[in-house]
Amino acid sequence: MLIVMHKNAARAEVDNVVAAVEARGCTARPIPGGDRVSIAILYNQGAVEPGWFSGMPGVKETIAVTRPYKLVSREMHPHDTVIRVGNIEIGGRYPVIMAGPCAVESRDQAMTIAGHVKKAGAHIFRGGAFKPRTSPYSFQGMEEEGLKVLAEVRGRFDLPIVTEVMDIAHFDMVEAYADIIQIGTRNMQNFSLLKRAGESEKPVLLKRGMSATVDEWLMAAEYIMSRGNTGIILCERGIRTFVRHSRNTLDLSAVPVVRRESHLPVIVDPSHAAGFRDQVMPLARAACAAGAQGLMVEVHHAPETAVSDGAQSLLPDQFARLCKDIRAISRILEPGPGKEQVAP
Amino acid sequence: MLIVMHKNAARAEVDNVVAAVEARGCTARPIPGGDRVSIAILYNQGAVEPGWFSGMPGVKETIAVTRPYKLVSREMHPHDTVIRVGNIEIGGRYPVIMAGPCAVESRDQAMTIAGHVKKAGAHIFRGGAFKPRTSPYSFQGMEEEGLKVLAEVRGRFDLPIVTEVMDIAHFDMVEAYADIIQIGTRNMQNFSLLKRAGESEKPVLLKRGMSATVDEWLMAAEYIMSRGNTGIILCERGIRTFVRHSRNTLDLSAVPVVRRESHLPVIVDPSHAAGFRDQVMPLARAACAAGAQGLMVEVHHAPETAVSDGAQSLLPDQFARLCKDIRAISRILEPGPGKEQVAP
Amino acid sequence: MLIVMHKNAARAEVDNVVAAVEARGCTARPIPGGDRVSIAILYNQGAVEPGWFSGMPGVKETIAVTRPYKLVSREMHPHDTVIRVGNIEIGGRYPVIMAGPCAVESRDQAMTIAGHVKKAGAHIFRGGAFKPRTSPYSFQGMEEEGLKVLAEVRGRFDLPIVTEVMDIAHFDMVEAYADIIQIGTRNMQNFSLLKRAGESEKPVLLKRGMSATVDEWLMAAEYIMSRGNTGIILCERGIRTFVRHSRNTLDLSAVPVVRRESHLPVIVDPSHAAGFRDQVMPLARAACAAGAQGLMVEVHHAPETAVSDGAQSLLPDQFARLCKDIRAISRILEPGPGKEQVAP
Amino acid sequence: MLIVMHKNAARAEVDNVVAAVEARGCTARPIPGGDRVSIAILYNQGAVEPGWFSGMPGVKETIAVTRPYKLVSREMHPHDTVIRVGNIEIGGRYPVIMAGPCAVESRDQAMTIAGHVKKAGAHIFRGGAFKPRTSPYSFQGMEEEGLKVLAEVRGRFDLPIVTEVMDIAHFDMVEAYADIIQIGTRNMQNFSLLKRAGESEKPVLLKRGMSATVDEWLMAAEYIMSRGNTGIILCERGIRTFVRHSRNTLDLSAVPVVRRESHLPVIVDPSHAAGFRDQVMPLARAACAAGAQGLMVEVHHAPETAVSDGAQSLLPDQFARLCKDIRAISRILEPGPGKEQVAP
């Protein structure tokens, strides 16, 4: 941490701050700048709270220097983490495509869509059995019946399953059925849920919170990893901005930033970012071209009947064309998507 | 809902949309505009999904007209809700001041601060026993020991207690000790927690999510109220914006908007919005002047030792001056803060 | 426009609003909804001001339906506009690459960089002679000397020139030297400048304002086109959000939205969006994959000496690799980038 | 500036950066931290460009420490600047109220409104003769005729005039009529206009850009002051955020921050921030309570006929009540609004 003093701070004020730093067992080094003194805190063990110094006389502001995450950091673990689910590799050479409906609505609906996405080349099937809905009056998901349908899809189409868990109370149940456990954008800082996920042996797909910084997102992953679970897939899904032409704004710069800062794989969900079908394909191709290691896409064969998010679901033939484009783009990016931004 | 057609939409496309609306049991009324046709959906029962129509040929976009909330809406319940906790009225004539440390750190710390805030005129004591922290390595709260300390504060200083619950697993415990149960900004859309809070007989203080619209916030309150708990206090605490000189940006226009849209009381937390002590007093006075029905303020007698958020805690004498200012401003605003914006 | 009434609006209040609409020469049609009445305004000529009705008794809110732009709208002009500069086509089958330094710093610097970007395959040379700088103490550009250098680059490398104009006072001068006149993000709503650009016979590259909606951006283009200049290239360059890991957040969903709403070509500037070199290549490839009809990229052979924006400039060999990637991606997207989102 | 190195940066890389800093005539001091080295740049004269170092091997990031503004900074000039216009003091003991219509529409309209606001206690009359409008088809202002009407208002009601200038071409004309020259939010970084304003002898009211940081805003003021004009009034008018219930989000924390960082007076425009009449009074009172040294408020006697922004204009009797509230709040804040946040 750097403590920046006022231009007119007195010598005694600087000395006071130095003494306060050293009273906490750290080393303080004053640095005379062009027109003011700053004080660097050296050799600190653990976090230093800005509030310890920010109110002292002569102090103008405090600036954090060290990143707060450790286990998820590429500096600690230089090589890419690759997560294996069945014979699928997430974080390996080629992007992984997860596709399916927003919500499991019925056995027939799930089977129909699974047939389409399998044929087009999807690697993993997505579908919600517990749905976080803004309104208490909206469809809340088929719950365990939905999980059973997903298990049946897995058996019939040889597609691993990713599905969302919304709370600790249902964690055991979702864990029993899913191949990858999804934590949604609204729960990115549900710390109790993150701790429970950290004790699971199943990989966790952690969506970025709608207004989370990359630091906060990586710290949420740190919660999981600090409990022992190293199988974490990060998923960028759009942030909330002033923009009104799309549901959220996809922050693709997060892809190279996460790949530089962390060894964990990062994928992109263009469907929730866009909110409208005609933006999903351009954003999905863009995500792949930006180096995303996978995509999560909503597909529905009859969106005009969908109980949620029909407006953003691709039709099966659009999805088939998208898979073709993604394969072509990922071949161009050899010898590895985003390779240029990963080197230390 | 209004379905807006393309300028060059064919007559058959309009007819198709009308037929689709009527197939769902609603009434469609085409409205010729200056240069395009729109189709209004009338007499709908329950929510209409934009996705049902947005992909149809000739459709340009869909626009929601009706607000989604019901029970929390002032249109359904024109009179202000007043919540009584002991002999304190939240939502009544005068603003209610909740104050105390960010976290309960020890019995001594809590007692010292409680003495200060009681003397200055606070009505309710705040303090966290379970702390949502960005880092898994930060202090996570004293948990049940902290709740016991809060109970002792209540007994000794005759101050009702507001404290945060972070998950369903600890709900019963927090409910047993607290007078008001706080749901934090990161949990505003933790729907399982909202449902459980809806079954409580204790009032709930619902903080606005850091990037939530007022509609989403009121829908979160609707989750609680739809389960039977009508004692809900809304708390504006700053939103995430591009601004870097404060921790968040306090959205004071939310106060008159919530008071117009809902009958529930709305208070303001200037401490988390500001993040820095020297902004807290101006924002607290501003909140009162804008018609907030209460304040939640962090106070610490020794912020340089605080385990969390020391930089934004007021010192006891600053808090005493603030209480004086708030009383003076609230007297000016007679016969009722925000009265002018509440009329239909 | 749609005027939404309160649930409990009286019949007389509805009648009053209807009378007020008709007093302005429009037709009012009341639409009874599930629980409230809305009033549609039909056959309006020209803009309708929300303020005319929003304060009337019983009125809850007003909702705009019609888009405000006309000449730039695809509904008015269904076919893509293609702009020819020399033998380059902007808005045609393949993306156009504009590249060069942030600022022209010297004849040598410009020639060196022009040699690199020409060889790599750039179509147009960019470089600023007038620089909008946050600080009055920063380098403000070489002004006319810089324009002369740009003219020399054009002659020697057969590269058309795009360069920024910052005010009306220098418009004639910039117009005399440039092939494409750039209006920067901070001037997107400098309406006097837009009007002057509308009288030019040179194409205008109009950058999106850092916090402009797509509607506002298209209205800025409408200012230009309403004065007679139809040669407008739109350029997305990132918006201001809460994100801190990049200088701005590139809003790639704007590409399909602009292509659907307007017939004008849209290109992307990944350099200013990113602010950091290691994000520029992923974002540039992403922009192409999203259907952008061109790129504007900063390149510098010695960024550690650049007077501005060195941290975001690509090195010549990075740029050469990027051009190769862009050509490969654009071939995949046959028969036309973004084609699927352009259909009506 | 602080240059943060990677955890695993080699000794030679650190030495290289030190050499590069010293090659530019600055002093480099390496600071060993808990787990990485940072390098402080000392005794720098003038700005240091991050791009000079950010691409060097082993460099993780660069962090600016010094604020870029000088002349407008309170560190350089500790005492409040007070601007006198006639016998009005802006930046003195009491808040100054500027009021009037958005646009001058006619002589009658201006005289009627001026009569109302004078009677209620306004100190300065506002009204636009040149209007920045999003649409080229909207009313663009009465131009010089409007300025003549304003001059007549001044003569008849003894009210100084503040009015907006939109470009250099009309600067002389506006300067000749106005007592205070307003630079609008869209022109905050129109650097040519700022330079011209710096050469005026009339005070300048500089509105904050809709997405400007406080640093950028103060740098815009620095442009004016560096040309010799020290009469600058800063005006917060709301920033663009994701919020949709108000036109912009009023950032009241900017008031104490500007008062701490700068000696210039800061006022607030609640009308443009709100966009809706029923939010204007709460926000205006809040601004005063937060320590704003003045208000700029739109008033119209017949908003349903206003050519622009009628929905946000107060009615005369609302404005009279507001003036009464503002006087009462400002008396409470003795001995000076915002005094507590101004001390160094």
Side-chain angles (χ1 to χ4, degrees):
Chain A
M1 180 175 289
L2 197 69
I3 303 170
V4 182
M5 304 295 292
H6 279 281
K7 282 190 186 170
N8 51 4
R11 175 65 191 268
E13 290 171 339
V14 173
D15 291 348
N16 245 349
V17 172
V18 167
V21 171
E22 305 207 322
R24 288 183 175 277
C26 304
T27 300
R29 180 168 303 184
I31 310 166
D35 51 8
R36 71 179 75 237
V37 173
S38 299
I39 298 164
I41 302 184
L42 315 184
Y43 309 117
N44 54 292
Q45 305 298 333
V48 178
E49 281 280 328
W52 294 342
F53 311 106
S54 62
M56 297 187 70
V59 172
K60 186 162 173 58
E61 62 181 335
T62 61
I63 298 176
V65 173
T66 316
R67 286 280 188 282
Y69 39 83
K70 296 179 184 173
L71 302 176
V72 303
S73 150
R74 187 175 285 278
E75 288 184 321
M76 297 291 262
H77 181 98
H79 298 294
D80 282 8
T81 287
V82 177
I83 294 168
R84 283 174 188 79
V85 179
N87 50 10
I88 308 294
E89 284 193 348
I90 303 163
R93 168 70 187 84
Y94 290 104
V96 168
I97 300 176
M98 311 182 183
C102 178
V104 177
E105 299 168 14
S106 70
R107 193 180 164 284
D108 273 5
Q109 173 245 26
M111 292 296 158
T112 303
I113 296 172
H116 285 300
V117 303
K118 175 73 180 183
K119 189 175 161 202
H123 306 99
I124 293 175
F125 190 70
R126 67 146 288 154
F130 293 90
K131 297 301 306 171
R133 302 302 300 275
T134 303
S135 165
Y137 311 120
S138 296
F139 175 66
Q140 308 272 318
M142 287 178 70
E143 308 197 349
E144 190 160 11
E145 284 312 298
L147 295 172
K148 286 180 183 167
V149 168
L150 290 171
E152 198 179 337
V153 165
R154 172 174 43 213
R156 180 154 156 203
F157 294 97
D158 189 27
L159 284 170
I161 297 302
V162 55
T163 195
E164 179 166 353
V165 64
M166 282 176 59
D167 53 45
I168 305 179
H170 298 99
F171 203 102
D172 291 354
M173 187 199 292
V174 173
E175 191 178 33
Y177 288 95
D179 298 294
I180 302 174
I181 297 164
Q182 177 178 327
I183 294 184
T185 190
R186 292 170 183 77
N187 277 319
M188 191 203 84
Q189 290 193 319
N190 182 333
F191 299 114
S192 311
L193 194 62
L194 297 176
K195 288 176 182 173
R196 174 63 185 84
E199 288 156 12
S200 178
E201 297 190 354
K202 295 271 175 84
V204 175
L205 188 147
L206 179 65
K207 288 203 165 183
R208 181 178 178 189
M210 190 170 318
S211 62
T213 64
V214 165
D215 274 14
E216 289 167 343
W217 189 18
L218 291 178
M219 287 309 284
E222 187 89 12
Y223 260 94
I224 298 171
M225 200 173 281
S226 67
R227 296 281 169 134
N229 188 344
T230 59
I232 305 169
I233 303 154
L234 298 164
C235 180
E236 159 68 30
R237 48 76 70 208
I239 57 172
R240 188 153 272 186
T241 70
F242 68 85
V243 163
R244 305 185 183 204
H245 59 256
S246 55
R247 184 166 167 173
N248 291 112
T249 298
L250 191 64
D251 176 17
L252 282 181
S253 71
V255 171
V257 169
V258 165
R259 297 202 62 186
R260 184 191 68 215
E261 291 293 318
S262 176
H263 51 88
L264 296 174
V266 57
I267 72 166
V268 168
D269 171 353
S271 303
H272 284 87
F276 300 101
R277 190 174 304 130
D278 60 356
Q279 297 174 23
V280 174
M281 284 178 69
L283 292 181
R285 290 191 311 247
C288 178
Q293 293 163 299
L295 294 173
M296 176 175 255
V297 181
E298 289 188 1
V299 177
H300 203 292
H301 64 294
E304 71 282 2
T305 68
V307 295
S308 65
D309 286 349
Q312 72 196 25
S313 296
L314 291 186
L315 297 166
D317 59 341
Q318 292 177 315
F319 178 69
R321 179 169 161 206
L322 177 61
C323 287
K324 202 161 149 280
D325 286 351
I326 296 305
R327 283 188 296 263
I329 293 173
S330 67
R331 274 192 301 266
I332 288 169
L333 300 177
E334 287 194 63
K339 186 168 176 292
E340 77 284 359
Q341 70 268 18
V342 176
Chain B
M1 178 174 290
L2 197 69
I3 303 170
V4 182
M5 304 296 290
H6 278 281
K7 282 190 187 171
N8 51 3
R11 175 64 192 268
E13 290 170 340
V14 173
D15 292 347
N16 247 345
V17 173
V18 168
V21 170
E22 305 206 322
R24 287 184 176 275
C26 304
T27 302
R29 178 169 305 183
I31 311 167
D35 51 9
R36 72 180 74 236
V37 173
S38 301
I39 298 163
I41 303 185
L42 315 185
Y43 309 116
N44 54 291
Q45 304 299 330
V48 177
E49 281 281 327
W52 294 342
F53 310 106
S54 62
M56 297 186 70
V59 171
K60 186 162 174 55
E61 63 182 334
T62 60
I63 299 175
V65 173
T66 315
R67 286 281 187 282
Y69 39 84
K70 297 180 184 173
L71 302 176
V72 302
S73 150
R74 189 175 284 278
E75 288 185 320
M76 295 293 260
H77 181 99
H79 298 294
D80 282 7
T81 288
V82 177
I83 295 168
R84 283 174 187 80
V85 177
N87 50 9
I88 308 294
E89 284 193 350
I90 304 162
R93 168 69 186 82
Y94 289 104
V96 169
I97 301 178
M98 310 183 184
C102 178
V104 178
E105 299 169 14
S106 70
R107 193 183 164 282
D108 273 5
Q109 174 246 23
M111 291 296 156
T112 304
I113 297 172
H116 285 299
V117 304
K118 175 73 182 184
K119 191 176 158 199
H123 306 98
I124 294 176
F125 190 71
R126 66 146 288 152
F130 294 90
K131 297 301 306 171
R133 301 303 301 274
T134 303
S135 165
Y137 310 122
S138 297
F139 174 66
Q140 308 273 316
M142 288 179 70
E143 309 198 346
E144 190 160 10
E145 284 313 297
L147 294 172
K148 286 179 183 166
V149 169
L150 290 170
E152 199 180 335
V153 165
R154 171 176 42 213
R156 182 156 154 200
F157 295 97
D158 189 26
L159 284 169
I161 297 300
V162 55
T163 195
E164 179 167 353
V165 63
M166 282 177 58
D167 53 45
I168 304 179
H170 297 101
F171 203 101
D172 291 354
M173 187 199 293
V174 173
E175 191 178 34
Y177 288 94
D179 298 294
I180 302 174
I181 298 164
Q182 176 178 328
I183 294 183
T185 189
R186 291 170 184 77
N187 276 319
M188 192 202 83
Q189 290 192 320
N190 181 333
F191 299 115
S192 309
L193 195 62
L194 297 176
K195 288 175 183 174
R196 174 63 185 83
E199 287 156 13
S200 179
E201 297 191 355
K202 295 271 174 84
V204 176
L205 188 148
L206 180 66
K207 288 204 164 183
R208 180 177 177 189
M210 187 170 322
S211 61
T213 64
V214 165
D215 274 13
E216 289 166 345
W217 189 18
L218 291 177
M219 286 310 284
E222 186 89 12
Y223 260 95
I224 298 171
M225 199 171 283
S226 67
R227 294 283 170 132
N229 188 344
T230 59
I232 304 169
I233 303 155
L234 298 164
C235 180
E236 160 65 30
R237 46 80 67 209
I239 57 171
R240 189 154 269 185
T241 69
F242 68 84
V243 163
R244 304 185 184 203
H245 60 256
S246 56
R247 183 165 168 175
N248 290 113
T249 299
L250 190 64
D251 176 18
L252 283 181
S253 70
V255 172
V257 169
V258 165
R259 297 200 63 187
R260 184 191 67 216
E261 290 295 317
S262 176
H263 51 88
L264 295 174
V266 58
I267 71 166
V268 168
D269 170 353
S271 304
H272 284 88
F276 300 102
R277 189 174 306 130
D278 61 355
Q279 297 174 23
V280 174
M281 285 179 65
L283 292 182
R285 290 192 309 248
C288 177
Q293 293 162 298
L295 294 173
M296 175 174 256
V297 181
E298 289 188 1
V299 177
H300 203 292
H301 64 294
E304 70 283 3
T305 67
V307 297
S308 66
D309 285 350
Q312 73 196 26
S313 295
L314 290 186
L315 296 167
D317 59 342
Q318 293 177 315
F319 178 69
R321 178 168 163 205
L322 177 61
C323 287
K324 203 163 147 280
D325 286 353
I326 296 305
R327 284 189 295 263
I329 294 173
S330 68
R331 274 191 301 266
I332 288 168
L333 300 176
E334 285 193 63
K339 186 169 176 290
E340 76 282 0
Q341 70 268 19
V342 176
Chain C
M1 178 173 289
L2 197 70
I3 302 170
V4 182
M5 304 296 290
H6 279 280
K7 283 190 185 170
N8 51 2
R11 175 63 191 269
E13 291 171 339
V14 173
D15 292 347
N16 247 349
V17 172
V18 167
V21 171
E22 305 206 323
R24 289 183 174 276
C26 304
T27 302
R29 178 167 306 183
I31 310 166
D35 50 10
R36 71 180 75 236
V37 173
S38 300
I39 298 164
I41 303 184
L42 314 185
Y43 309 117
N44 55 293
Q45 304 298 331
V48 177
E49 282 281 328
W52 294 341
F53 311 107
S54 61
M56 297 185 70
V59 171
K60 185 161 174 58
E61 63 182 334
T62 61
I63 299 175
V65 174
T66 314
R67 285 282 186 282
Y69 37 84
K70 297 179 184 174
L71 303 175
V72 303
S73 149
R74 188 175 285 277
E75 287 185 320
M76 296 291 261
H77 181 99
H79 298 293
D80 282 6
T81 287
V82 177
I83 295 168
R84 284 175 187 77
V85 178
N87 51 9
I88 308 294
E89 285 193 348
I90 304 162
R93 168 69 185 83
Y94 290 104
V96 169
I97 299 177
M98 311 182 182
C102 177
V104 178
E105 297 169 15
S106 72
R107 192 182 165 283
D108 273 6
Q109 175 245 24
M111 291 297 157
T112 304
I113 296 172
H116 285 299
V117 304
K118 175 74 181 184
K119 190 175 159 201
H123 306 98
I124 294 175
F125 190 70
R126 66 146 287 152
F130 294 91
K131 297 300 306 171
R133 301 302 300 274
T134 303
S135 166
Y137 311 121
S138 297
F139 175 67
Q140 308 271 317
M142 288 179 70
E143 308 197 348
E144 189 159 12
E145 283 314 297
L147 295 172
K148 286 178 182 166
V149 169
L150 290 171
E152 200 180 334
V153 164
R154 171 174 44 213
R156 182 155 154 202
F157 294 98
D158 190 27
L159 283 170
I161 298 301
V162 56
T163 196
E164 179 165 354
V165 64
M166 280 177 59
D167 52 46
I168 304 179
H170 297 100
F171 203 102
D172 291 355
M173 186 199 292
V174 173
E175 190 178 34
Y177 288 94
D179 298 294
I180 302 174
I181 298 164
Q182 177 178 327
I183 294 183
T185 189
R186 290 169 185 78
N187 278 318
M188 191 202 84
Q189 290 192 319
N190 182 333
F191 298 114
S192 310
L193 195 62
L194 297 176
K195 288 176 183 172
R196 174 63 185 83
E199 287 155 13
S200 179
E201 296 190 355
K202 295 271 175 82
V204 176
L205 187 147
L206 179 66
K207 287 203 165 181
R208 180 178 178 188
M210 192 170 314
S211 62
T213 63
V214 165
D215 274 14
E216 289 166 344
W217 189 19
L218 292 177
M219 286 310 283
E222 186 89 12
Y223 259 95
I224 299 172
M225 200 171 281
S226 67
R227 295 282 171 133
N229 189 343
T230 59
I232 304 169
I233 303 155
L234 298 163
C235 180
E236 159 67 29
R237 47 77 68 210
I239 57 171
R240 188 153 269 184
T241 70
F242 68 84
V243 163
R244 304 185 183 202
H245 60 255
S246 56
R247 185 166 167 173
N248 290 113
T249 298
L250 190 64
D251 176 18
L252 283 181
S253 71
V255 171
V257 169
V258 165
R259 297 200 65 185
R260 184 191 67 214
E261 290 294 318
S262 176
H263 51 89
L264 296 173
V266 58
I267 72 166
V268 169
D269 171 352
S271 304
H272 283 87
F276 300 101
R277 190 174 304 130
D278 61 355
Q279 297 173 24
V280 174
M281 285 178 67
L283 291 182
R285 290 190 311 247
C288 178
Q293 293 162 299
L295 294 173
M296 175 174 257
V297 181
E298 289 188 0
V299 177
H300 204 291
H301 64 294
E304 70 284 2
T305 70
V307 297
S308 65
D309 286 349
Q312 73 196 27
S313 295
L314 290 186
L315 296 166
D317 59 341
Q318 293 177 315
F319 178 69
R321 177 168 163 206
L322 177 61
C323 288
K324 202 162 148 279
D325 286 352
I326 296 305
R327 284 188 295 264
I329 293 173
S330 67
R331 275 192 300 267
I332 287 170
L333 300 177
E334 284 193 67
K339 188 167 176 290
E340 76 283 1
Q341 71 268 21
V342 177
Chain D
M1 180 175 287
L2 197 69
I3 303 170
V4 182
M5 304 296 291
H6 277 281
K7 281 190 187 170
N8 51 2
R11 175 65 191 268
E13 290 171 338
V14 173
D15 292 347
N16 245 348
V17 173
V18 167
V21 171
E22 305 206 323
R24 289 182 175 274
C26 302
T27 301
R29 179 167 304 183
I31 310 166
D35 51 9
R36 69 180 76 234
V37 173
S38 300
I39 297 164
I41 302 184
L42 314 184
Y43 309 117
N44 54 291
Q45 304 299 331
V48 178
E49 281 281 328
W52 293 342
F53 310 107
S54 62
M56 297 186 69
V59 171
K60 185 162 173 58
E61 63 182 332
T62 62
I63 298 176
V65 173
T66 315
R67 285 283 187 282
Y69 39 84
K70 297 179 186 175
L71 303 175
V72 303
S73 150
R74 187 175 286 277
E75 287 184 320
M76 297 291 261
H77 180 98
H79 298 294
D80 282 8
T81 288
V82 176
I83 295 168
R84 284 174 187 79
V85 178
N87 51 9
I88 308 294
E89 285 192 349
I90 304 163
R93 168 68 186 87
Y94 290 103
V96 169
I97 301 177
M98 310 182 184
C102 178
V104 178
E105 297 168 16
S106 71
R107 194 183 163 283
D108 274 6
Q109 174 245 24
M111 292 296 157
T112 304
I113 296 172
H116 285 299
V117 303
K118 175 74 180 182
K119 190 175 159 202
H123 306 99
I124 294 175
F125 190 69
R126 66 145 289 153
F130 294 91
K131 297 302 306 170
R133 301 302 301 274
T134 303
S135 166
Y137 310 120
S138 297
F139 174 66
Q140 308 272 317
M142 287 178 71
E143 308 196 350
E144 191 160 10
E145 284 312 297
L147 294 171
K148 287 180 182 164
V149 168
L150 290 171
E152 200 180 335
V153 165
R154 172 174 43 213
R156 181 155 156 201
F157 294 98
D158 189 28
L159 284 170
I161 297 301
V162 55
T163 195
E164 179 165 354
V165 64
M166 281 177 58
D167 53 46
I168 304 179
H170 298 99
F171 202 102
D172 291 355
M173 187 200 291
V174 173
E175 192 178 31
Y177 289 94
D179 299 292
I180 302 174
I181 298 164
Q182 176 178 327
I183 294 184
T185 190
R186 291 170 184 77
N187 277 320
M188 192 202 82
Q189 290 193 319
N190 182 333
F191 298 114
S192 310
L193 195 62
L194 297 176
K195 288 175 183 173
R196 174 63 186 83
E199 288 155 13
S200 179
E201 297 189 355
K202 294 270 176 84
V204 176
L205 187 148
L206 179 65
K207 288 203 165 183
R208 179 178 178 189
M210 191 172 316
S211 62
T213 64
V214 165
D215 274 14
E216 290 166 344
W217 189 19
L218 291 177
M219 287 309 284
E222 187 89 11
Y223 260 94
I224 298 171
M225 200 172 282
S226 66
R227 296 281 170 135
N229 189 344
T230 58
I232 304 169
I233 303 155
L234 298 164
C235 180
E236 159 67 29
R237 46 76 71 211
I239 57 172
R240 188 154 271 185
T241 70
F242 68 84
V243 163
R244 305 186 182 201
H245 60 256
S246 56
R247 184 164 165 175
N248 289 114
T249 298
L250 190 64
D251 176 17
L252 282 181
S253 70
V255 172
V257 169
V258 165
R259 297 201 63 186
R260 184 190 67 215
E261 291 294 317
S262 177
H263 50 88
L264 296 173
V266 58
I267 72 166
V268 168
D269 170 352
S271 304
H272 284 88
F276 300 101
R277 190 174 305 130
D278 60 356
Q279 297 173 24
V280 174
M281 285 178 67
L283 291 181
R285 289 191 312 246
C288 178
Q293 294 162 298
L295 293 174
M296 176 174 255
V297 181
E298 289 188 2
V299 177
H300 204 292
H301 63 294
E304 71 283 3
T305 69
V307 296
S308 65
D309 286 349
Q312 72 196 26
S313 295
L314 290 186
L315 297 166
D317 58 342
Q318 292 176 315
F319 178 68
R321 177 169 163 204
L322 177 61
C323 288
K324 202 162 148 279
D325 286 351
I326 296 304
R327 285 189 296 264
I329 293 173
S330 68
R331 275 193 300 266
I332 288 170
L333 300 176
E334 284 191 67
K339 188 169 175 288
E340 76 285 358
Q341 71 269 17
V342 176

